[in-house]
Amino acid sequence: MAHDDVLQQFAAYQRSTGLAATTIRNRHSILSHLQHCSGRPLLELTTADLRAHIGRETRQDGKPLKLGTRRTERNAIIAFYTYAIDDGLIDHDPSRRLDRISAPRGKARPFTREQIDAMLTSGAYHRTRVMILLGYYQGFRVSSIARVHGHDIDLLSGTIRSTVKGSKPLVFPLHPVIAAIAQIMPKDDYWFPARGGRTGPIHSGSVTDAIHDAKLRAGIYDEQLTAHSLRHSFGTDLVDAGVDIRVIAELMGHESVATTQIYTAVSAERKRAGIHALEQGEVPTASGRSRAALAA
């Protein structure tokens, strides 16, 4: 069976189970790259081939391959071969003996409010500013930002509907800043419609690119800060404001509070407040050594 046919069938299977479109696209990219690097069809690969690929040192762009990425690729590979076995495409699962990858718990990497303000006032287009505000004030992932539709907004109840990770449709409280923006955004269309003759919303990658450009325009060059960092700012600032962790988990669409725990780490602002809490004493201008010698 041709490689493209296999991946199309796998994609159809995943859609039938209700898997999120973003996850399906990511898995397709991972598996296509695996096939390209190995030089052989996916259904002919061995456990050794899979280990060699997951264990490679760098990504396609030459940057080091992080543990989290290795784990994501392993999960995608296992999902594909589990499907291939169940559908009778192969009789031996080469992914069965792939060792579990333990990656350390991620850390929040939020923008500061000053950085967010800089992105909003450094010449970004209106739609990019709206994307930034959705990321910060609603805590939306880029995939949710891309798909915001006028019908998702209910100004009477003060809510916004979104399909979050795992294809779960949820309703969130609407932040007043976003409610004000909704007054001038499309009421019967996507807020960020696709261009070039394509129907539907823009791709999530377009949101990432727009926010990345705004970040650079604002003079922010930290590679650890991405469009997703706006969501991290949302979670971290809610913690700093004293909001209950269970409420934050609901606002972020987390199934488990454990996922929200990364935002409870002490923020830079709270560290500054802590160090400033030390009572400021007078700093002596002399050592006092001569006075001590006279007393002796």
Side-chain angles (χ1 to χ4, degrees), residues 130-156:
V130 174
M131 293 172 185
I132 293 170
L133 294 170
L134 281 166
Y136 178 66
Y137 284 108
Q138 295 294 158
F140 279 4
R141 297 178 176 88
V142 292
S143 56
S144 292
I145 293 173
R147 295 196 303 268
V148 172
H149 194 286
H151 294 174
D152 296 329
I153 311 296
D154 188 334
L155 293 175
L156 291 179

Side-chain angles (χ1 to χ4, degrees), residues 109-111 116 135-136 224-234:
R109 49 185 192 280
F111 287 107
I116 294 173
Y136 178 66
Q224 295 297 313
L225 295 175
T226 66
H228 195 71
S229 295
L230 291 167
R231 178 172 166 84
H232 286 195
S233 300
F234 174 79

Side-chain angles (χ1 to χ4, degrees), residues 118-119 121-125 210-221:
M119 288 193 291
T121 58
S122 297
Y125 291 117
I211 295 176
H212 177 74
D213 289 345
K215 184 190 85 166
L216 297 181
R217 187 184 294 275
I220 304 168
Y221 302 108

Side-chain angles (χ1 to χ4, degrees), residues 50-201:
L50 302 182
R51 286 173 176 164
H53 184 74
I54 294 174
R56 69 195 187 281
E57 295 184 356
T58 60
R59 307 185 315 189
Q60 288 176 272
D61 58 9
K63 295 182 179 179
L65 194 68
K66 297 181 179 179
L67 279 176
T69 303
R70 296 185 199 277
R71 184 172 59 184
T72 299
E73 291 190 353
R74 174 185 179 273
N75 292 342
I77 290 169
I78 289 176
F80 171 75
Y81 285 106
T82 299
Y83 154 77
I85 284 284
D86 290 345
D87 260 33
L89 301 180
I90 53 176
D91 54 18
H92 171 70
D93 181 359
S95 70
R96 185 176 61 84
R97 296 176 61 190
L98 291 177
D99 292 334
R100 185 180 298 277
I101 299 174
S102 298
R105 181 186 290 272
K107 293 182 179 180
R109 49 185 192 280
F111 287 107
T112 65
R113 281 303 303 268
E114 292 78 12
Q115 289 173 323
I116 294 173
D117 289 343
M119 288 193 291
L120 292 170
T121 58
S122 297
Y125 291 117
H126 175 260
R127 71 187 229 147
T128 301
R129 297 198 301 274
V130 174
M131 293 172 185
I132 293 170
L133 294 170
L134 281 166
Y136 178 66
Y137 284 108
Q138 295 294 158
F140 279 4
R141 297 178 176 88
V142 292
S143 56
S144 292
I145 293 173
R147 295 196 303 268
V148 172
H149 194 286
H151 294 174
D152 296 329
I153 311 296
D154 188 334
L155 293 175
L156 291 179
S157 64
T159 59
I160 180 171
R161 183 175 60 244
S162 180
T163 300
V164 301
K165 193 174 183 179
S167 296
K168 297 177 298 181
L170 296 176
V171 176
F172 300 97
L174 185 66
H175 192 280
V177 168
I178 305 303
I181 290 172
Q183 302 283 357
I184 59 172
M185 297 300 286
K187 304 294 190 297
D188 195 31
D189 196 0
Y190 288 104
W191 281 16
F192 313 109
R195 295 172 175 176
R198 192 173 63 83
T199 59

